[in-house]
Amino acid sequence: MSQRARWRRIAGLGARFLTVGAISTLIEIGVFNLLYLALGWDPVPAKVVASLVALVNAYFGNREWTFRHRDRRGRTQEIVLFVLANAICTALGALLVWAGIEAASALLGREVGPFIVNGVNLVSIVIVVLVRFWLYHSVVFRTAPPKTP
């Protein structure tokens, strides 16, 4: 496969991943704000729960559309890898939200409001999307190893 064809394939894969991710992000932001603003939850637990809710959409969207052409090892193994990859990403997202809120509070010298909390949340989502794509592409929904004759 030529380098150009490889990049074209990765670009198509990335576009499908980003589409599923955009829908999952809307779900995550909606659940986060429901829990944080409407129900008064602390931002970090709200982030964790919102991420977990969005993962249901992410799994099915990525398994059945983005990476549908990839090796279908046992569903159990795939789900375990998916859960582990997303546990890492959820923890990273929560850590980034906590660190971002703490940093913003320290810089401003006061408790931050919902606008800054949501800004920090969006930055965490961008960073986690990059990590998640790499994990899905190289670990969770990887290509089948070449068959030896």
mmCIF file of all heavy atoms in Angstrom, residues 19 63 93 123:
data_model
loop_
_atom_site.group_PDB
_atom_site.id
_atom_site.type_symbol
_atom_site.label_atom_id
_atom_site.label_comp_id
_atom_site.label_asym_id
_atom_site.label_seq_id
_atom_site.Cartn_x
_atom_site.Cartn_y
_atom_site.Cartn_z
ATOM 1 N N THR A 19 -16.568 11.605 14.051
ATOM 2 C CA THR A 19 -18.030 11.699 14.004
ATOM 3 C C THR A 19 -18.644 10.997 15.215
ATOM 4 O O THR A 19 -19.502 11.564 15.900
ATOM 5 C CB THR A 19 -18.577 11.092 12.697
ATOM 6 O OG1 THR A 19 -18.019 11.809 11.592
ATOM 7 C CG2 THR A 19 -20.093 11.160 12.646
ATOM 8 N N ARG A 63 -17.208 0.269 17.122
ATOM 9 C CA ARG A 63 -17.152 -1.152 16.763
ATOM 10 C C ARG A 63 -17.907 -1.416 15.464
ATOM 11 O O ARG A 63 -17.441 -2.153 14.604
ATOM 12 C CB ARG A 63 -17.756 -2.001 17.898
ATOM 13 C CG ARG A 63 -17.986 -3.467 17.575
ATOM 14 C CD ARG A 63 -16.718 -4.285 17.397
ATOM 15 N NE ARG A 63 -16.202 -4.144 16.047
ATOM 16 C CZ ARG A 63 -14.972 -4.441 15.648
ATOM 17 N NH1 ARG A 63 -14.101 -4.905 16.483
ATOM 18 N NH2 ARG A 63 -14.591 -4.270 14.421
ATOM 19 N N GLY A 93 -8.996 12.145 31.859
ATOM 20 C CA GLY A 93 -9.921 13.272 31.746
ATOM 21 C C GLY A 93 -10.258 13.881 33.097
ATOM 22 O O GLY A 93 -10.265 15.099 33.257
ATOM 23 N N VAL A 123 -11.106 21.279 27.005
ATOM 24 C CA VAL A 123 -9.681 21.042 26.757
ATOM 25 C C VAL A 123 -9.328 19.599 27.110
ATOM 26 O O VAL A 123 -8.609 18.919 26.371
ATOM 27 C CB VAL A 123 -8.803 22.038 27.551
ATOM 28 C CG1 VAL A 123 -7.337 21.637 27.516
ATOM 29 C CG2 VAL A 123 -8.981 23.449 27.005
#
